Amino acid sequence: MADAKQLTIIGGGLAGALLASLLAQRGWQVDVFEQRGDPRVEGYAGGRSINLALAERGLYALKQAGLDHRVLEQAVMMRGRFVHPLAGASQLQRYGRDDSEVIWSISRGELNITLLNAAERAGVRLHFNQPLKSVDFEARLATFETPDGENVVPFNALIGADGAGSTLRAQMHATLPFDERTEWLDHGYKELEIPPTASGDFRIEPNALHIWPRGHYMCIALPNDERTFTVTLFMPLKGVYPSFELITTPDAAQTLFETQFPDTLPLIPDLAEDFARNPVGKLATLYLDRWHLADKAVLIGDAAHAMVPFHGQGMNCAFEDCVSLANHLDRSPALSDAFQAFSEERMPNAAAIQQMALENYVEMRDKVDDAAFLLQRELELTLQARHPERFIPHYTMVTFMRIPYAVALARSDIQRDILVAATHGKQRLDELDMAQADAMVLAQLQPLSDLA
Ligand code: FAD
């Protein structure tokens, strides 16, 4: 293909559609090939979670495309975790200091449609019902399956936004093998629904992400703008009770909810139907040693670095990829340089959030109602107030800031050690040696502005 300012994106999901807009706005001619039908015509086909948590990194990327306001109009604010222990009172644990530090629950389908509309308005050509089948990288020809046969399309370069099961990644691997590793989590998930009340209201506090932590398993619920909640039950696939291997029938699910999540039972009237109908989703982390193939192809989003969903950052990270790739394409006239620079910037950060996402599962299902954790959280906020430039809580760095994930991970490790050391054997904040905690902070954490 002669036109050097042309790019072909595989996948019109969240990352593909946003990247298409960003590139078209910067003067690229962009084609997007999507395996599914047009969700604006045929309805959204779903497949993964029904709703998602949008945080600062994703919001910033949407802002670059001029879409932040439009998306927030459809979102429900979540101030914190609403923790429902099996025994004892439920409580809201704020994520940040105030309502300037919140996350947003958005519908995947609505968001995808907003992004596709924006891409089309920016001049992107969208091709639906055309899954990528194979690629001849030498001849720069991509073959798509169409309802009538095959469509062979010349390309300048391909961008793989085709998700965790990426066909483009498989085609790149066939040409120049990756060191590719998929680590499956031994836990899966199933979605259920809390409908609105008879008068059309939310049944529980809407401005929160609800968690029912139960040790090795949990339920969470995120609000939807039509006043429902999507509940997700996460538990082991096999082995110990409860697991998806042992709970296979609606009756078994009913018993599990009666004994372990009794307060949710009146909220989920269609538990039996939801449980029988909805599939068990599997979760994995994907590791690659390289994301691009010369100047011919590059991977972004889940196609490059699928992760488990427990930090609510997969899409946010994919959106950060979009901004980064668009910036590198602006800066480097040669595609191979842009792809290389993009990979060098993003790979360590994707690896960091993949690790933090795995760690956060343990925190959500096992720690959020634990006294030691709550004391550490109290100290975290105190140290943040005393050293605002140095001690920034882990969740804040990941969720409300855009400092590189790798920096957030390194600082979180140091901070966790300080929190554990300072609270060891203590029950209350006023029992702590605050001077010693201050000294650890000053000795071990540089001010963030020094890193700029
Ligand atoms: P996808 O969204 O998977 O899009 C890929 C697109 O490519 C799809 O449209 C697909 O149809 C298309 N495609 C696939 N194969 C082909 C082909 N051969 N040819 C053409 N098109 C193709 N992230 C968050 O930030 N916050 C959350 O709260 C959150 N919650 C989650 C909860 C669950 C249960 C799960 C599973 C994930 C969650 N995530 C969350 C992660 C998030 O869903 C993903 O990181 C995000 O969808 C990645 O976007 P993507 O565009 O890279 O991939």
Side-chain angles (χ1 to χ4, degrees), residues 14-15 27 98 100-101 119 127 189 199 203 238-239 256 270 273 280 290 326 333 360 391 431 443 450-451:
L14 301 181
D98 52 40
S100 66
E101 294 182 332
H127 311 267
Y189 69 96
S199 56
R203 281 182 194 242
K238 290 188 177 166
L256 171 69
D270 297 332
E273 291 83 346
V280 176
R290 155 178 79 74
N360 215 47
F391 197 107
E431 294 172 7
D450 287 4
L451 305 174

Side-chain angles (χ1 to χ4, degrees), residues 90-335:
S90 302
Q91 54 155 327
L92 177 74
Q93 296 173 8
R94 261 193 181 276
Y95 284 132
R97 286 171 293 193
D98 52 40
D99 279 359
S100 66
E101 294 182 332
V102 297
I103 55 176
W104 302 90
S105 179
I106 47 172
S107 143
R108 185 185 291 269
E110 278 177 14
L111 176 63
N112 207 163
I113 287 172
T114 301
L115 294 173
L116 289 169
N117 281 333
E120 207 162 54
R121 274 198 310 275
V124 173
R125 289 187 301 221
L126 302 172
H127 311 267
F128 292 101
N129 290 311
Q130 295 207 40
L132 177 71
K133 279 289 143 198
S134 61
V135 183
D136 180 340
F137 287 105
E138 204 57 43
R140 291 189 198 251
L141 292 174
T143 301
F144 299 90
E145 201 174 278
T146 72
D148 312 318
E150 283 188 342
N151 182 14
V152 181
V153 178
F155 64 85
N156 186 33
L158 299 176
I159 299 177
D162 50 345
S166 170
T167 302
L168 179 57
R169 188 175 74 235
Q171 293 293 300
M172 290 162 72
H173 181 73
T175 303
L176 184 63
F178 294 112
D179 183 5
E180 176 175 337
R181 188 162 52 92
T182 298
E183 272 183 17
W184 290 98
L185 195 69
D186 48 4
H187 290 224
Y189 69 96
K190 194 182 271 270
E191 289 184 325
L192 310 164
E193 193 191 71
I194 299 178
T197 60
S199 56
D201 287 332
F202 284 106
R203 281 182 194 242
I204 47 176
E205 166 59 46
N207 294 122
L209 188 156
H210 293 262
I211 307 185
W212 289 260
R214 296 295 182 264
H216 72 280
Y217 61 102
M218 67 175 181
C219 273
I220 65 169
L222 271 73
N224 297 306
D225 59 352
E226 71 268 28
R227 294 172 187 262
T228 60
F229 285 84
T230 303
V231 178
T232 312
L233 167 66
F234 292 94
M235 65 181 177
L237 292 167
K238 290 188 177 166
V240 289
Y241 183 90
S243 65
F244 284 111
E245 181 187 42
L246 298 174
I247 297 181
T248 52
T249 62
D251 281 352
Q254 180 79 18
T255 306
L256 171 69
F257 276 73
E258 273 167 12
T259 54
Q260 302 304 319
F261 305 109
D263 55 329
T264 67
L265 264 188
L267 305 174
I268 315 176
D270 297 332
L271 174 66
E273 291 83 346
D274 287 356
F275 198 88
R277 187 183 50 241
N278 296 339
V280 176
K282 305 247 169 75
L283 300 165
T285 309
L286 166 75
Y287 302 97
L288 296 175
D289 62 340
R290 155 178 79 74
W291 289 357
H292 76 291
L293 180 65
D295 61 347
K296 296 174 181 177
V298 66
L299 301 171
I300 63 166
D302 277 15
H305 51 67
M307 67 189 74
V308 296
F310 304 110
H311 228 307
Q313 285 289 316
M315 167 193 65
N316 287 283
C317 178
F319 282 2
E320 237 183 16
D321 289 350
C322 296
V323 175
S324 165
L325 182 58
N327 287 342
H328 284 295
L329 285 165
D330 271 352
R331 277 183 222 132
S332 309
L335 287 178

